[in-house]
Amino acid sequence: MALVVQKYGGSSLESADRIKRVAERIVATKKAGNHVVVVCSAMGDTTDELLDLAEQVNPVPPEREMDMLLTAGERISNALVAMAISAQGAEAWSFTGSQAGVVTTAVHGNARIIDVTPSRVTDALEQGYVALVAGFQGVSQDTKDITTLGRGGSDTTAVALAAALNADVCEIYSDVDGVYTADPRIVGNARKLDTVPYEEMLELAASGSKILHLRSVEYARRYGVPISVRSSYSDKPGTTVTGSIEEIPVEQALITGVAHDRSEAKITITGVPDHAGAAARIFRTVADAEIDIDMVLQNISNTAGRTDITFTLSKANGPKAVSELEKIKTELDFSAVLYDDHVGKVSLVGAGMRSHPGVTASFCEALAKAGVNIEIINTSEIRISVLIRDAQLDDAVRAIHEAFELGGDEEAVVYAGSGR
Amino acid sequence: MALVVQKYGGSSLESADRIKRVAERIVATKKAGNHVVVVCSAMGDTTDELLDLAEQVNPVPPEREMDMLLTAGERISNALVAMAISAQGAEAWSFTGSQAGVVTTAVHGNARIIDVTPSRVTDALEQGYVALVAGFQGVSQDTKDITTLGRGGSDTTAVALAAALNADVCEIYSDVDGVYTADPRIVGNARKLDTVPYEEMLELAASGSKILHLRSVEYARRYGVPISVRSSYSDKPGTTVTGSIEEIPVEQALITGVAHDRSEAKITITGVPDHAGAAARIFRTVADAEIDIDMVLQNISNTAGRTDITFTLSKANGPKAVSELEKIKTELDFSAVLYDDHVGKVSLVGAGMRSHPGVTASFCEALAKAGVNIEIINTSEIRISVLIRDAQLDDAVRAIHEAFELGGDEEAVVYAGSGR
């Protein structure tokens, strides 16, 4: 008997009516002869409403209590889905992350899963119940406090459960019906991919694709869990993320898709004295503020023995990074900190570039032909990323998609609200 | 160091603003040098909103899931109060009933507390935190499922915690500032009582007084927990429920107060053949439908060897009781089931009636003088209750309050919304 894990996001659960439709799909999956485990996020607006209430009573709420508060949202949605399933002829039990055996670190608001021991879930399945598990939460191994898992937490819960239960597949439902060769809202003939190997999906996720969160793909890769990306609004097959690029014969390796990212900003520190340790001091300062850095560019020093150091980071962290760097300006004796949030990143991903020389050249030629200037370039074995002006992102995505002939014949279907 | 348990009901917590005011009181109690444990009900409308959502997805929701759903309400309010306390200079941790060690039977929607082992609460107090505990909930000893405690559940949680922690007092906060000699909205010169012994409070609660739930008073009596009934809108001292009537010297025993109850209905089964077993069959039928009976009256049989049997019950159970009795009409060969929901009950409570003969006579004379007809009379050692026409309830309450000189000189203060 196959075991299916399904995850439904907040927009799939935003009303009693949507909840009933989700329940229909779950009951159908059960009646088709599967064991079914379901992970639900909180209903559409719940988390925002709770955050708003919290802010009214305390502008800087203690993190332990924020986790106690927010986890009520998933409790509500999972209980309601269980009730809806019961109304439609199957039986279901809902569990909190803690009850389902999701054990985590003690970091409130951003806990990591240490282990999953889902014995109560297994019992429920053996007794013929559908098991619902609240996503985005667990219990701290050390303190026994309730924790939330940070960004992508519900996807990660679903994949972690699928791994622990040896599920046949983990289906992630949203309002997007699969992984495309590019964002279908930008590229009219973007093609839906049937399958994507784990490493390519990791690169796409890291390059701006919002369909799956990086951590859940990494978790799936490590434990060999196939992820099926599907729409909760249709019955079309989605995209399956599975397999390693190592399994693909060299000649069949392809260029898979184009991702873009509007969420980054660029910081340039100018006139940095060119001695050992200056760059290290700069990056340590940013790291100590718990800010992640993406692309880095360091110019060759000029005749005055000074250089510019440029890096990108999430826009959300921009102001904080600038402020921390201003504090070491005198100490390092650099000229200025420049901040530019009109940048965008576009990336080409595909195992095929390992065996096909000239991909980088074709990539840059396509951008040049479209009049797009490259500011920073960064590559991995299966990815090329460039930083450009954000106003040119759409043109760049289309130019690269065209140059590598990624398009299909059919016009891509774009659902209202797609893009998560 | 004294240990105080405080309980706040839903109307005291109905908005972010009310929550902040409750937090002020809690912080003041802590800063006065006490250990403080707080039990919060769900915020004002939350439980109703959740019930409404539940009904939309399933008109007859499974009870286990209803408990999972409703307990989210208390989780939210307790976390928000903890946050508000933190914003005002003290520290607080919130706990679910399960985390606080409230262990119950497995009956969803109406679980009974089996034991309270509040080790995490004690740890929090020892570390200088205010401990918040979600009311109305616990965890089943057998199934480990989350349960809710039924009517009066939050009051019971508070008293049970106070007992387990050996608290100095359990303060129950609502929008009523104490226990009065009668409902101040009916009797203008009703007096607030300073103290009430447990047995009298039990009788008042059983007779319609909504200030404290019967089960929480019984729990307090059994474990010797003093209950202080106070208003969350003022700093006036409230009424303390403590002590036994056995401790009151006979000459000092008093008549304490008048309670009234509009929630009952009357069922009369007419023309019941007067043989052993007929009454038993009637009461067993009602009991099997899980319906409680209050007052009973059986007439002396008439010349035809038939009698009428009358009893009262909660209006909510009326239709079901009638329908179950109709089913045995042929079997018992009685004439009819009559249903009357225009009845009301008025009761006089006081340990003094044990030692003062003539109380019953004075009681009945007062009603007669007010033109109130008695339909059923029922007494205990410290209580007289009568069933009358509900339209005459206010007059009856005033007449008895007057006849026993219970009034004070000051006009009673009636808060908007008082009466819980």
Side-chain angles (χ1 to χ4, degrees), chain A residues 169 177-181 190-197 200-201 226-230 236-243 254 256 406 410:
Chain A
V169 67
D177 69 348
V179 182
Y180 281 73
T181 50
R191 216 175 7 95
K192 187 167 71 182
L193 300 160
D194 290 331
T195 67
V196 181
E200 289 186 1
M201 193 65 230
I227 298 180
S228 176
V229 176
R230 304 187 57 176
K236 292 183 176 188
T239 301
T240 304
V241 178
T242 190
L254 300 168
T256 294
L406 296 173
E410 300 171 22

Side-chain angles (χ1 to χ4, degrees), chain B residues 52-375:
Chain B
D52 183 64
L53 269 173
E55 199 182 337
Q56 287 184 56
V57 302
N58 187 337
V60 191
E63 294 179 327
R64 177 195 186 281
E65 298 306 319
M66 184 59 90
D67 279 358
M68 287 292 278
L69 178 70
L70 294 183
T71 48
E74 285 79 28
R75 189 188 200 87
I76 290 169
S77 59
N78 279 278
L80 287 171
V81 174
M83 290 179 181
I85 289 170
S86 177
Q88 295 182 28
E91 286 309 320
W93 280 342
S94 70
F95 299 98
T96 59
S98 168
Q99 290 173 323
V102 179
V103 179
T104 74
T105 61
V107 180
H108 287 293
N110 206 11
R112 291 283 176 266
I113 295 178
I114 293 174
D115 195 12
V116 179
T117 49
S119 51
R120 289 181 79 171
V121 171
T122 310
D123 284 349
L125 295 177
E126 281 167 9
Q127 295 187 54
Y129 287 80
V130 170
L132 287 115
V133 179
F136 185 57
Q137 56 178 253
V139 61
S140 160
Q141 191 175 58
D142 295 338
T143 65
K144 303 289 180 277
D145 285 333
I146 300 302
T147 54
T148 57
L149 303 179
R151 291 161 55 89
S154 288
D155 287 359
T156 307
T157 299
V159 173
L161 268 169
L165 293 165
N166 238 337
D168 294 83
V169 67
C170 179
E171 298 176 339
I172 304 284
Y173 287 91
S174 64
D175 51 9
V176 172
D177 70 348
V179 181
Y180 281 74
T181 50
D183 188 331
R185 292 169 301 175
I186 297 177
V187 179
N189 66 345
R191 216 176 9 96
K192 186 167 72 179
L193 300 162
D194 292 329
T195 68
V196 181
Y198 290 117
E199 297 91 339
E200 289 185 2
M201 193 65 231
L202 280 168
E203 293 283 11
L204 286 169
S207 307
S209 167
K210 292 185 180 40
I211 292 181
L212 287 173
H213 287 267
L214 195 64
R215 0 160 19 184
S216 59
V217 180
E218 178 53 41
Y219 209 112
R221 188 191 67 79
R222 206 182 327 150
Y223 291 94
V225 177
I227 299 179
S228 176
V229 177
R230 306 188 57 177
S231 164
S232 59
Y233 291 85
S234 95
D235 284 326
K236 292 184 176 188
T239 300
T240 304
V241 179
T242 190
S244 165
I245 54 176
E246 304 304 334
E247 296 158 9
I248 306 171
V250 169
E251 317 81 57
Q252 287 171 34
L254 301 168
I255 299 302
T256 295
V258 183
H260 70 281
D261 191 343
R262 297 180 200 276
S263 72
E264 296 198 343
K266 182 178 79 169
I267 287 180
T268 301
I269 300 126
T270 62
V272 183
D274 188 18
H275 62 79
R281 186 81 181 89
I282 283 167
F283 295 128
R284 175 57 59 197
T285 298
V286 174
D288 282 350
E290 298 194 4
I291 292 170
D292 293 323
I293 282 177
D294 183 16
M295 309 171 88
V296 178
L297 176 71
Q298 176 167 343
N299 292 340
I300 296 170
S301 68
N302 61 24
T303 48
R306 291 188 175 255
T307 182
D308 292 346
I309 294 177
T310 297
F311 62 87
T312 66
L313 73 171
S314 160
K315 273 177 183 149
N317 292 327
K320 180 137 205 241
V322 169
S323 129
E324 291 299 309
L325 289 165
E326 292 282 5
K327 291 177 188 170
I328 60 170
K329 183 175 170 185
T330 310
E331 172 199 333
L332 285 188
D333 188 35
F334 59 73
S335 303
V337 178
L338 307 180
Y339 184 72
D340 180 358
D341 66 357
H342 289 150
V343 294
K345 187 167 81 171
V346 61
S347 308
L348 182 71
V349 174
M353 62 180 78
R354 292 190 302 174
S355 48
H356 292 84
V359 169
T360 307
S362 307
F363 183 89
C364 295
E365 282 160 1
L367 288 176
K369 208 163 110 182
V372 177
N373 186 47
I374 296 171
E375 302 182 23

Side-chain angles (χ1 to χ4, degrees), chain A residues 29-68:
Chain A
T29 310
K30 174 107 177 64
K31 289 194 164 159
N34 300 292
H35 285 303
V36 186
V37 176
V38 181
V39 173
C40 292
S41 300
M43 288 174 73
D45 289 333
T46 304
T47 306
D48 286 340
E49 287 168 2
L50 291 173
L51 286 170
D52 184 63
L53 269 173
E55 201 183 335
Q56 288 186 55
V57 302
N58 187 336
V60 190
E63 294 180 326
R64 178 197 188 277
E65 299 305 320
M66 184 59 90
D67 279 358
M68 287 293 279

